[in-house]
Amino acid sequence: MDSAQAYEKCLKRLTWATKSLKLEIQSHQLAKIADLIVQPMTGPWRYFHTPQHIFEVGGTGKPIEVLAALFHDLVYLQVDLSINLNLSYYISPFITEINSNLTIRKSAQLPPDNTFALVASVFGFVPGQILNPYAGQNEFLSALVAAKVLEPFVLPPHILQIVACIEATIPFRGETKDGLTASDRLYKRLQNTNIEFNLGLTDAEIVETVKASVRMANRDVSSFAHPQAAEFLANTWNLLPETNHNLSTMGAYTVGDYRSAIQTIEGFMSSLDPQLIFHQFRGEPDNCSYELLYKRASRNLKIAQLYLQSKLVTIALIEAMSLTIGVDIPLTIMMGEIPLRGFTFMPLEHFLPEVDNPYSPRTDIEKEVFDLLTIGRAKSIHSDLQHSPIATFIVKSIGFEAIYHQCDRSKQFFQDNISSEEFIGGFSPPLVENIIDALLQLFESRKTAMGRCYSITRTTNSNCQVQLS
């Protein structure tokens, strides 16, 4: 979806939602808001958090949820590395930067502004608070933009409902010591905000607002419960270049760049509790639907963990071997080029032998991971190969039990607790020798290809002599 298509769809969603709420907004004002939304959402580093994502998160049936979703990812500092200038207009009166930390201005520095105070109350944030990049910073700033942009047209009760939906998209929050979920805590803050700002919402309306926020938040992370693990991993792969910008340039990243990206996402997936992914509040969603979300997410996480561990072991071994050449070696030097139209290349896997007595998966999870490595993830935006031939070769050679062991050793290698020589030496000699032989043949094929340039110089020299004579 290009910027023009995103703008048209965004404008259509805005028009529908505002008409549904009977808001008086002129067409040129809606056009300005649509442009404000689409610009940051189509930034150069956006691969997952794109206009298509906000359209999916908003659903189609509830105007408050549609509006909230359009704004909920406007600010994403880990991805964009800055705040879009047009958005900063709405943020800078209330937020300052202190020692590289975005911080809510102190009370004496804050302008009197009920809308900002309402947003802060819904989030439970206070003057002088440092915004945590991983605990609501992006969501708070996005909600603040939404509230200030919509302020001239939307009544405060609707502002509260939109902001509540955005707050609920702060991900992966557990229960408090007294057993309150994130939704329970939001409900209490909405009650207090309703009283403090005299909004006149009934308790039933507040409950429905939290339910709306749960629906939107669950759609925000719906890929975790995708029935096909290949699709879930494709979405995961789109996240890699968002926070690892070197990976966005095909062929330009190093072995270390790629390893660091895989290491980060593997660490995240391995530590994520599936109970923290989806929300439930007073029957929204119903128990049957919630259990299905949980079961699918649990299975996808197990698959992702083993898949990423296999990928991590593979790139760790390649990195250890690359250190015999030097540091910051491009990945394509060690693995071969990513296929390009009209370009003939010989990737590393072309030189690997067939594995004698290959490992056979023993569980459903292993079978799924083996198929993902062999056949590939669903197509993603990122240019990395969808299948994993080197990882497949390693798994066939040593099996998944050894992958678990070697993954732990990989992390010791990354922390410099063991040397590259020790790490390589911890694999079976036949496996290491097969990969070394393949690398040498890959390098030799490049040497041969480069040697063909001699014929070019000889032809050129011959033509020059003919012309001179």
Side-chain angles (χ1 to χ4, degrees), residues 347-391:
L348 178 61
E349 64 265 22
H350 176 81
F351 303 103
L352 290 171
E354 291 294 323
V355 177
D356 295 328
N357 300 315
Y359 177 82
S360 181
R362 298 173 183 173
T363 67
D364 289 343
I365 297 295
E366 286 191 357
K367 176 67 167 59
E368 183 104 23
V369 172
F370 188 81
D371 287 346
L372 286 165
L373 293 171
T374 307
I375 301 169
R377 308 177 304 273
K379 185 173 178 58
S380 57
I381 298 172
H382 182 36
S383 58
D384 189 22
L385 288 176
Q386 290 168 243
H387 68 305
S388 307
I390 313 303

Side-chain angles (χ1 to χ4, degrees), residues 57-58 62-66 68-69 161-162 164-166 168-169 183 186 190 204-219 279 281 284-285:
V57 170
K62 305 290 184 180
I64 290 292
E65 296 170 39
V66 168
Q161 292 170 333
I162 292 166
C165 286
I166 298 175
T169 63
S183 298
L186 176 59
L190 293 183
E205 288 173 322
I206 293 174
V207 168
E208 287 304 313
T209 297
V210 179
K211 287 184 177 182
S213 76
V214 165
R215 287 192 296 270
M216 196 181 103
N218 285 348
R219 286 194 296 267
H279 301 264
F281 181 78
E284 179 61 54

Side-chain angles (χ1 to χ4, degrees), residues 45-62:
W45 312 119
R46 298 286 185 127
Y47 286 82
F48 178 83
H49 297 94
T50 61
Q52 183 59 40
H53 174 67
I54 61 176
F55 300 148
E56 292 170 355
V57 170
T60 58
K62 305 290 184 180

Side-chain angles (χ1 to χ4, degrees), residues 4 6 72 81 98 116 133 176 179 187 207 313 373 387 394 404 436:
H72 87 284
L81 302 183
I98 301 175
F116 170 78
T176 59
Y187 169 69
V207 168
V313 169
L373 293 171
H387 68 305
I394 291 175
Y404 293 125
I436 292 172

Side-chain angles (χ1 to χ4, degrees), residues 283-452:
E284 179 61 54
D286 62 71
N287 289 338
C288 183
S289 299
Y290 181 79
E291 282 299 316
L292 181 61
L293 292 172
Y294 173 77
K295 287 179 180 179
R296 284 179 175 174
S298 297
R299 176 177 171 78
N300 281 339
L301 276 182
K302 290 177 183 177
I303 291 169
Q305 288 161 5
L306 183 54
Y307 177 85
L308 289 164
Q309 287 166 357
S310 302
K311 298 278 284 187
L312 191 62
V313 169
T314 300
I315 195 61
L317 185 55
I318 295 297
E319 182 176 22
M321 292 179 176
S322 76
L323 291 175
T324 63
I325 303 173
V327 296
D328 296 330
I329 302 299
L331 185 65
T332 53
I333 294 295
M334 303 298 292
M335 303 287 281
E337 283 72 21
I338 293 172
L340 292 173
R341 185 177 299 175
F343 180 76
T344 302
F345 75 107
M346 288 294 184
L348 178 61
E349 64 265 22
H350 176 81
F351 303 103
L352 290 171
E354 291 294 323
V355 177
D356 295 328
N357 300 315
Y359 177 82
S360 181
R362 298 173 183 173
T363 67
D364 289 343
I365 297 295
E366 286 191 357
K367 176 67 167 59
E368 183 104 23
V369 172
F370 188 81
D371 287 346
L372 286 165
L373 293 171
T374 307
I375 301 169
R377 308 177 304 273
K379 185 173 178 58
S380 57
I381 298 172
H382 182 36
S383 58
D384 189 22
L385 288 176
Q386 290 168 243
H387 68 305
S388 307
I390 313 303
T392 300
F393 179 80
I394 291 175
V395 170
K396 284 182 176 180
S397 300
I398 65 177
F400 283 115
E401 282 297 324
I403 289 292
Y404 293 125
H405 171 63
Q406 294 295 350
C407 187
D408 290 337
R409 294 187 69 249
S410 298
K411 293 172 183 178
Q412 292 298 308
F413 166 52
F414 302 148
Q415 295 170 3
D416 293 325
N417 292 331
I418 59 175
S419 67
S420 58
E421 292 84 1
E422 290 174 307
F423 179 64
I424 294 171
F427 288 85
S428 65
L431 169 65
V432 173
E433 290 168 7
N434 281 330
I435 295 177
I436 292 172
D437 288 343
L439 282 166
L440 291 175
Q441 291 178 69
L442 174 65
F443 297 158
E444 186 65 31
S445 72
R446 287 178 169 145
K447 178 182 175 182
T448 300
M450 185 60 68
R452 298 191 189 106

Side-chain angles (χ1 to χ4, degrees), residues 14-15 17-30 33 149-155 158:
L14 278 169
T15 301
T18 53
K19 283 186 177 179
S20 298
L21 294 173
K22 296 180 172 57
L23 304 179
E24 294 184 5
I25 307 182
Q26 300 298 317
S27 58
H28 72 277
Q29 294 169 320
L30 287 171
I33 296 172
V149 168
L150 297 174
E151 178 183 47
F153 319 105
V154 180
L155 293 174
H158 283 159

Side-chain angles (χ1 to χ4, degrees), residues 166-185:
I166 298 175
E167 193 279 343
T169 63
I170 302 173
F172 315 129
R173 292 176 288 174
E175 294 183 355
T176 59
K177 292 181 179 179
D178 52 357
L180 294 178
T181 66
S183 298
D184 294 329
R185 301 194 295 273

